[in-house]
Amino acid sequence: MAGIYIHIPFCKKACHYCDFHFSTSLTYKNELIQQLLMEIELRKEYLKGDVVDTIYFGGGTPSLLSKGELIAILDKIHNTFRVHDTIECTLEANPDDLSSDALIALNDAGINRLSIGIQSFFDEDLQYMNRSHDAAQAARCIDAARDAGIENVSIDLIFGYPLLSDDKWKQNIDTALTYEVPHLSCYAMTVEPKTALASFIKSKKTLPINHEQSASQFEYLMKALQAKGYEHYEISNYALSGKRAVHNSNYWKGIPYLGIGPSAHSFDGVSRQWNVANNMTYIKSLGEGIVPFEQEVLTETQQLNERIMTSLRTMEGFDMAYHKNKCSMEDAFAFDKTVQHFIQEGLLVAENDVIKLTQQGKLFADYVAGELFV
Ligand code: SF4
């Protein structure tokens, strides 16, 4: 089993909070797609014959691709790798790209799951974020996706920014729930260095993030979605039964994946690779038949710490027996002591040698995991 991630590094506008790799100039889109196809060819041995069961178009904004471009990439994958008969094929999309015709084209091309970047159903909030869509487009696109035959829809929402009152956050969740989408991804706004948001906060053009407000909105979200039958299966992800994102779940299980495109990451079980995050350097290098990447072989300790971090973020939790097998008596003793401390603090629970975050613990997930690292 393996996954393939394709990074499409173009966006219509730069969202103020975003630090992903993308360009707002589409001038070299054709050249870049040709080199994506070249990279797929050059990396055909990476998955060592594993069967591909998920493909994920991320970015950037993959909904900027035409039907022909999508089909060319998918055909190349099918002709290069062993691909399962039934695959989850996800595309991240922005609401303003999802006209009825565009959705029919996506369905025809083989996309069977959409991850739609709604973020908010309020115009003023979308403008604050500098999103390319408006509230009306956000409200329309979910039903339009179903009408076009794509039932498996996930929507993204953002909370924890100063403009978002608790009342507006409740309305966003209520609106999302009226669509009965099978999956939601909800993220707290973070201020990444070198983003427009960071500079606006520094120059006092906008208020900083209020972390208490963000935490209380996260708590409300967890309760509201669990009350409607959604599994909180990963810290930022909620799904109705049987509707978890397979591609993302496989990341958290440590299953290998191949990342294609500028800035895309790959993992083969032992080492990580990441491609250059520059469109022109990527195009030029692939033009010379070279994939421009850096690589890191993970030590046993790094692998263990990654497993602690990713497992704790999931509802399945972290298996302590795995830890005992992988580290010294001394480290195991220190680990047990820290676990007991967090259990007493109400941030962790232990069941059958598996530790899981409590609702309270989910507010401090990164801190708890960091304290448990070897
Ligand atoms: S559309 Fe997505 S990738 Fe593009 S700038 Fe906005 S958040 Fe970033």
Side-chain angles (χ1 to χ4, degrees), residues 211-251:
H211 294 286
E212 281 178 19
Q213 177 199 32
S214 182
S216 81
Q217 291 182 351
F218 183 36
E219 283 182 284
Y220 179 81
L221 170 74
M222 288 190 277
K223 283 186 196 136
L225 294 190
Q226 282 163 5
K228 291 289 179 182
Y230 287 85
E231 283 180 335
H232 188 185
Y233 73 102
E234 197 270 346
I235 208 99
S236 305
N237 289 283
Y238 306 78
L240 293 178
S241 179
K243 294 296 180 185
R244 295 186 188 193
V246 180
H247 185 84
N248 300 36
S249 298
N250 288 349
Y251 285 156

Short mmCIF file of all heavy atoms in Angstrom, two decimals, residues 211-251:
data_model
loop_
_atom_site.label_atom_id
_atom_site.label_comp_id
_atom_site.label_asym_id
_atom_site.label_seq_id
_atom_site.Cartn_x
_atom_site.Cartn_y
_atom_site.Cartn_z
N HIS A 211 -5.10 33.37 22.19
CA HIS A 211 -5.00 31.91 22.32
C HIS A 211 -6.10 31.33 23.21
O HIS A 211 -6.52 30.19 23.01
CB HIS A 211 -3.60 31.52 22.81
CG HIS A 211 -2.55 31.85 21.78
ND1 HIS A 211 -2.40 31.11 20.63
CD2 HIS A 211 -1.66 32.86 21.70
CE1 HIS A 211 -1.44 31.65 19.88
NE2 HIS A 211 -0.97 32.72 20.51
N GLU A 212 -6.57 32.12 24.16
CA GLU A 212 -7.69 31.62 24.99
C GLU A 212 -8.96 31.48 24.16
O GLU A 212 -9.70 30.50 24.27
CB GLU A 212 -7.94 32.56 26.17
CG GLU A 212 -6.93 32.33 27.27
CD GLU A 212 -7.13 33.29 28.42
OE1 GLU A 212 -8.21 33.89 28.54
OE2 GLU A 212 -6.16 33.44 29.18
N GLN A 213 -9.19 32.49 23.31
CA GLN A 213 -10.37 32.43 22.44
C GLN A 213 -10.25 31.23 21.48
O GLN A 213 -11.20 30.49 21.27
CB GLN A 213 -10.45 33.74 21.61
CG GLN A 213 -11.60 33.76 20.63
CD GLN A 213 -11.39 34.80 19.52
OE1 GLN A 213 -10.26 35.08 19.12
NE2 GLN A 213 -12.48 35.37 19.04
N SER A 214 -9.06 31.04 20.95
CA SER A 214 -8.83 29.92 20.04
C SER A 214 -9.10 28.59 20.74
O SER A 214 -9.76 27.70 20.19
CB SER A 214 -7.38 29.99 19.53
OG SER A 214 -7.15 28.97 18.62
N ALA A 215 -8.61 28.44 21.97
CA ALA A 215 -8.81 27.19 22.72
C ALA A 215 -10.29 26.96 23.00
O ALA A 215 -10.80 25.84 22.86
CB ALA A 215 -8.01 27.23 24.02
N SER A 216 -11.02 28.02 23.37
CA SER A 216 -12.44 27.81 23.69
C SER A 216 -13.23 27.49 22.42
O SER A 216 -14.18 26.71 22.45
CB SER A 216 -13.02 28.98 24.47
OG SER A 216 -13.36 30.02 23.60
N GLN A 217 -12.83 28.06 21.28
CA GLN A 217 -13.52 27.73 20.02
C GLN A 217 -13.22 26.28 19.61
O GLN A 217 -14.08 25.58 19.06
CB GLN A 217 -13.12 28.72 18.91
CG GLN A 217 -13.69 30.11 19.20
CD GLN A 217 -13.39 31.15 18.14
OE1 GLN A 217 -12.60 30.93 17.21
NE2 GLN A 217 -14.02 32.32 18.26
N PHE A 218 -12.01 25.82 19.90
CA PHE A 218 -11.67 24.41 19.62
C PHE A 218 -12.51 23.49 20.50
O PHE A 218 -13.06 22.48 20.02
CB PHE A 218 -10.17 24.21 19.86
CG PHE A 218 -9.64 22.83 19.54
CD1 PHE A 218 -10.13 22.10 18.47
CD2 PHE A 218 -8.62 22.27 20.31
CE1 PHE A 218 -9.63 20.83 18.17
CE2 PHE A 218 -8.13 21.00 20.02
CZ PHE A 218 -8.63 20.29 18.95
N GLU A 219 -12.66 23.84 21.77
CA GLU A 219 -13.48 23.01 22.68
C GLU A 219 -14.93 22.95 22.20
O GLU A 219 -15.55 21.88 22.19
CB GLU A 219 -13.43 23.58 24.10
CG GLU A 219 -12.12 23.26 24.80
CD GLU A 219 -12.12 23.79 26.22
OE1 GLU A 219 -11.95 25.01 26.40
OE2 GLU A 219 -12.30 22.99 27.14
N TYR A 220 -15.45 24.11 21.78
CA TYR A 220 -16.83 24.12 21.29
C TYR A 220 -16.96 23.23 20.05
O TYR A 220 -17.91 22.44 19.91
CB TYR A 220 -17.27 25.55 20.96
CG TYR A 220 -18.67 25.59 20.43
CD1 TYR A 220 -19.77 25.55 21.29
CD2 TYR A 220 -18.91 25.58 19.05
CE1 TYR A 220 -21.06 25.51 20.79
CE2 TYR A 220 -20.20 25.54 18.55
CZ TYR A 220 -21.27 25.52 19.43
OH TYR A 220 -22.55 25.47 18.93
N LEU A 221 -16.00 23.35 19.15
CA LEU A 221 -16.00 22.54 17.92
C LEU A 221 -16.03 21.05 18.23
O LEU A 221 -16.84 20.30 17.66
CB LEU A 221 -14.72 22.89 17.12
CG LEU A 221 -14.40 22.01 15.93
CD1 LEU A 221 -15.34 22.33 14.77
CD2 LEU A 221 -12.95 22.20 15.49
N MET A 222 -15.16 20.61 19.14
CA MET A 222 -15.09 19.17 19.46
C MET A 222 -16.45 18.68 19.96
O MET A 222 -16.94 17.64 19.53
CB MET A 222 -14.01 18.92 20.52
CG MET A 222 -12.60 19.06 19.99
SD MET A 222 -11.35 18.48 21.16
CE MET A 222 -11.12 19.87 22.23
N LYS A 223 -17.06 19.46 20.87
CA LYS A 223 -18.35 19.03 21.43
C LYS A 223 -19.42 19.02 20.35
O LYS A 223 -20.21 18.07 20.25
CB LYS A 223 -18.76 19.98 22.56
CG LYS A 223 -17.99 19.72 23.83
CD LYS A 223 -18.54 20.58 24.97
CE LYS A 223 -17.53 20.60 26.11
NZ LYS A 223 -17.32 21.90 26.69
N ALA A 224 -19.47 20.09 19.54
CA ALA A 224 -20.55 20.22 18.54
C ALA A 224 -20.49 19.09 17.52
O ALA A 224 -21.51 18.51 17.15
CB ALA A 224 -20.44 21.57 17.85
N LEU A 225 -19.28 18.76 17.07
CA LEU A 225 -19.18 17.73 16.02
C LEU A 225 -19.38 16.33 16.60
O LEU A 225 -19.99 15.47 15.96
CB LEU A 225 -17.86 17.83 15.27
CG LEU A 225 -17.67 19.12 14.45
CD1 LEU A 225 -16.44 19.04 13.56
CD2 LEU A 225 -18.88 19.43 13.58
N GLN A 226 -18.86 16.11 17.79
CA GLN A 226 -19.07 14.79 18.40
C GLN A 226 -20.57 14.56 18.67
O GLN A 226 -21.08 13.46 18.49
CB GLN A 226 -18.24 14.64 19.68
CG GLN A 226 -16.77 14.34 19.34
CD GLN A 226 -15.79 14.58 20.48
OE1 GLN A 226 -16.18 14.90 21.59
NE2 GLN A 226 -14.51 14.44 20.19
N ALA A 227 -21.27 15.63 19.05
CA ALA A 227 -22.72 15.49 19.29
C ALA A 227 -23.48 15.11 18.02
O ALA A 227 -24.56 14.54 18.08
CB ALA A 227 -23.27 16.81 19.85
N LYS A 228 -22.91 15.43 16.87
CA LYS A 228 -23.56 15.10 15.59
C LYS A 228 -23.01 13.81 14.99
O LYS A 228 -23.23 13.51 13.81
CB LYS A 228 -23.35 16.25 14.59
CG LYS A 228 -24.11 17.49 14.96
CD LYS A 228 -25.61 17.30 14.76
CE LYS A 228 -26.39 18.55 15.15
NZ LYS A 228 -27.84 18.39 15.03
N GLY A 229 -22.24 13.05 15.79
CA GLY A 229 -21.82 11.73 15.33
C GLY A 229 -20.52 11.69 14.57
O GLY A 229 -20.17 10.66 13.98
N TYR A 230 -19.77 12.80 14.57
CA TYR A 230 -18.47 12.79 13.88
C TYR A 230 -17.41 12.22 14.82
O TYR A 230 -17.35 12.57 15.99
CB TYR A 230 -18.05 14.21 13.48
CG TYR A 230 -18.83 14.77 12.32
CD1 TYR A 230 -20.06 15.39 12.53
CD2 TYR A 230 -18.35 14.67 11.02
CE1 TYR A 230 -20.80 15.90 11.46
CE2 TYR A 230 -19.08 15.18 9.95
CZ TYR A 230 -20.30 15.79 10.19
OH TYR A 230 -21.01 16.29 9.13
N GLU A 231 -16.58 11.33 14.27
CA GLU A 231 -15.41 10.85 15.02
C GLU A 231 -14.33 11.91 14.96
O GLU A 231 -14.00 12.38 13.85
CB GLU A 231 -14.80 9.62 14.32
CG GLU A 231 -15.52 8.32 14.48
CD GLU A 231 -14.77 7.24 13.72
OE1 GLU A 231 -14.03 7.52 12.74
OE2 GLU A 231 -14.94 6.09 14.10
N HIS A 232 -13.78 12.25 16.10
CA HIS A 232 -12.63 13.18 16.10
C HIS A 232 -11.39 12.30 15.96
O HIS A 232 -10.67 12.05 16.92
CB HIS A 232 -12.63 13.97 17.41
CG HIS A 232 -11.63 15.07 17.43
ND1 HIS A 232 -11.38 15.84 18.53
CD2 HIS A 232 -10.81 15.56 16.47
CE1 HIS A 232 -10.46 16.74 18.26
NE2 HIS A 232 -10.07 16.58 17.02
N TYR A 233 -11.12 11.86 14.73
CA TYR A 233 -10.14 10.79 14.55
C TYR A 233 -8.71 11.28 14.45
O TYR A 233 -7.77 10.49 14.56
CB TYR A 233 -10.51 9.90 13.35
CG TYR A 233 -10.28 10.50 11.98
CD1 TYR A 233 -9.17 10.14 11.22
CD2 TYR A 233 -11.17 11.41 11.43
CE1 TYR A 233 -8.96 10.66 9.97
CE2 TYR A 233 -10.96 11.95 10.17
CZ TYR A 233 -9.85 11.57 9.44
OH TYR A 233 -9.63 12.09 8.20
N GLU A 234 -8.54 12.57 14.25
CA GLU A 234 -7.21 13.18 14.30
C GLU A 234 -7.42 14.61 14.77
O GLU A 234 -8.51 15.15 14.59
CB GLU A 234 -6.55 13.14 12.91
CG GLU A 234 -5.05 13.35 12.89
CD GLU A 234 -4.63 14.81 12.74
OE1 GLU A 234 -5.49 15.65 12.39
OE2 GLU A 234 -3.46 15.12 12.96
N ILE A 235 -6.39 15.20 15.35
CA ILE A 235 -6.59 16.46 16.07
C ILE A 235 -7.34 17.53 15.25
O ILE A 235 -8.14 18.27 15.78
CB ILE A 235 -5.24 16.98 16.61
CG1 ILE A 235 -5.43 17.81 17.85
CG2 ILE A 235 -4.44 17.72 15.59
CD1 ILE A 235 -5.17 17.10 19.10
N SER A 236 -7.11 17.56 13.93
CA SER A 236 -7.76 18.57 13.09
C SER A 236 -8.84 17.98 12.19
O SER A 236 -9.38 18.68 11.33
CB SER A 236 -6.73 19.27 12.20
OG SER A 236 -5.69 19.81 12.96
N ASN A 237 -9.16 16.68 12.37
CA ASN A 237 -10.02 16.02 11.38
C ASN A 237 -11.17 15.25 12.04
O ASN A 237 -10.97 14.55 13.03
CB ASN A 237 -9.18 15.06 10.53
CG ASN A 237 -8.27 15.83 9.59
OD1 ASN A 237 -8.71 16.35 8.59
ND2 ASN A 237 -7.01 15.94 9.96
N TYR A 238 -12.34 15.36 11.42
CA TYR A 238 -13.59 14.81 11.95
C TYR A 238 -14.30 14.10 10.79
O TYR A 238 -14.43 14.68 9.70
CB TYR A 238 -14.50 15.93 12.47
CG TYR A 238 -13.82 16.83 13.48
CD1 TYR A 238 -12.92 17.82 13.06
CD2 TYR A 238 -14.05 16.69 14.84
CE1 TYR A 238 -12.28 18.64 13.97
CE2 TYR A 238 -13.42 17.51 15.77
CZ TYR A 238 -12.53 18.49 15.32
OH TYR A 238 -11.90 19.30 16.23
N ALA A 239 -14.78 12.87 11.05
CA ALA A 239 -15.42 12.14 9.96
C ALA A 239 -16.63 11.38 10.45
O ALA A 239 -16.66 10.88 11.58
CB ALA A 239 -14.42 11.15 9.34
N LEU A 240 -17.64 11.26 9.57
CA LEU A 240 -18.73 10.34 9.85
C LEU A 240 -18.19 8.93 9.65
O LEU A 240 -17.13 8.74 9.00
CB LEU A 240 -19.91 10.61 8.91
CG LEU A 240 -20.61 11.97 9.13
CD1 LEU A 240 -21.73 12.17 8.11
CD2 LEU A 240 -21.18 12.08 10.55
N SER A 241 -18.90 7.94 10.17
CA SER A 241 -18.40 6.57 10.14
C SER A 241 -18.02 6.13 8.72
O SER A 241 -18.80 6.32 7.77
CB SER A 241 -19.50 5.65 10.69
OG SER A 241 -19.06 4.34 10.66
N GLY A 242 -16.83 5.61 8.59
CA GLY A 242 -16.36 5.10 7.29
C GLY A 242 -15.88 6.17 6.33
O GLY A 242 -15.58 5.88 5.17
N LYS A 243 -15.83 7.42 6.78
CA LYS A 243 -15.49 8.51 5.86
C LYS A 243 -14.17 9.21 6.21
O LYS A 243 -13.95 10.36 5.82
CB LYS A 243 -16.63 9.54 5.83
CG LYS A 243 -17.91 8.99 5.24
CD LYS A 243 -17.70 8.63 3.78
CE LYS A 243 -18.97 8.08 3.15
NZ LYS A 243 -18.73 7.62 1.77
N ARG A 244 -13.32 8.52 6.93
CA ARG A 244 -12.00 9.11 7.20
C ARG A 244 -11.23 9.30 5.89
O ARG A 244 -11.46 8.56 4.93
CB ARG A 244 -11.17 8.20 8.10
CG ARG A 244 -11.74 8.02 9.49
CD ARG A 244 -10.77 7.22 10.31
NE ARG A 244 -11.33 6.86 11.60
CZ ARG A 244 -10.62 6.38 12.61
NH1 ARG A 244 -9.32 6.19 12.47
NH2 ARG A 244 -11.19 6.08 13.75
N ALA A 245 -10.31 10.27 5.87
CA ALA A 245 -9.45 10.46 4.70
C ALA A 245 -8.41 9.35 4.71
O ALA A 245 -7.58 9.29 5.62
CB ALA A 245 -8.77 11.82 4.78
N VAL A 246 -8.46 8.48 3.72
CA VAL A 246 -7.52 7.35 3.71
C VAL A 246 -6.09 7.84 3.49
O VAL A 246 -5.15 7.41 4.16
CB VAL A 246 -7.91 6.32 2.60
CG1 VAL A 246 -6.93 5.16 2.58
CG2 VAL A 246 -9.33 5.84 2.81
N HIS A 247 -5.92 8.78 2.55
CA HIS A 247 -4.58 9.26 2.22
C HIS A 247 -3.90 9.84 3.47
O HIS A 247 -2.77 9.46 3.82
CB HIS A 247 -4.67 10.32 1.12
CG HIS A 247 -3.34 10.80 0.63
ND1 HIS A 247 -2.61 10.14 -0.33
CD2 HIS A 247 -2.59 11.86 1.00
CE1 HIS A 247 -1.49 10.78 -0.54
NE2 HIS A 247 -1.43 11.83 0.26
N ASN A 248 -4.60 10.75 4.16
CA ASN A 248 -4.00 11.39 5.33
C ASN A 248 -3.81 10.38 6.46
O ASN A 248 -2.81 10.41 7.17
CB ASN A 248 -4.88 12.54 5.80
CG ASN A 248 -5.02 13.60 4.73
OD1 ASN A 248 -5.08 13.27 3.55
ND2 ASN A 248 -5.06 14.85 5.10
N SER A 249 -4.77 9.47 6.61
CA SER A 249 -4.63 8.45 7.67
C SER A 249 -3.38 7.61 7.43
O SER A 249 -2.70 7.22 8.38
CB SER A 249 -5.87 7.54 7.70
OG SER A 249 -7.02 8.29 7.99
N ASN A 250 -3.09 7.34 6.17
CA ASN A 250 -1.89 6.54 5.87
C ASN A 250 -0.60 7.28 6.24
O ASN A 250 0.38 6.66 6.66
CB ASN A 250 -1.88 6.14 4.39
CG ASN A 250 -2.91 5.06 4.10
OD1 ASN A 250 -3.49 4.48 5.04
ND2 ASN A 250 -3.15 4.78 2.84
N TYR A 251 -0.60 8.62 6.10
CA TYR A 251 0.57 9.39 6.58
C TYR A 251 0.79 9.08 8.06
O TYR A 251 1.89 8.86 8.51
CB TYR A 251 0.32 10.90 6.51
CG TYR A 251 0.37 11.56 5.16
CD1 TYR A 251 -0.31 12.76 4.94
CD2 TYR A 251 1.12 11.06 4.11
CE1 TYR A 251 -0.28 13.41 3.72
CE2 TYR A 251 1.16 11.71 2.88
CZ TYR A 251 0.46 12.89 2.70
OH TYR A 251 0.50 13.53 1.50
#
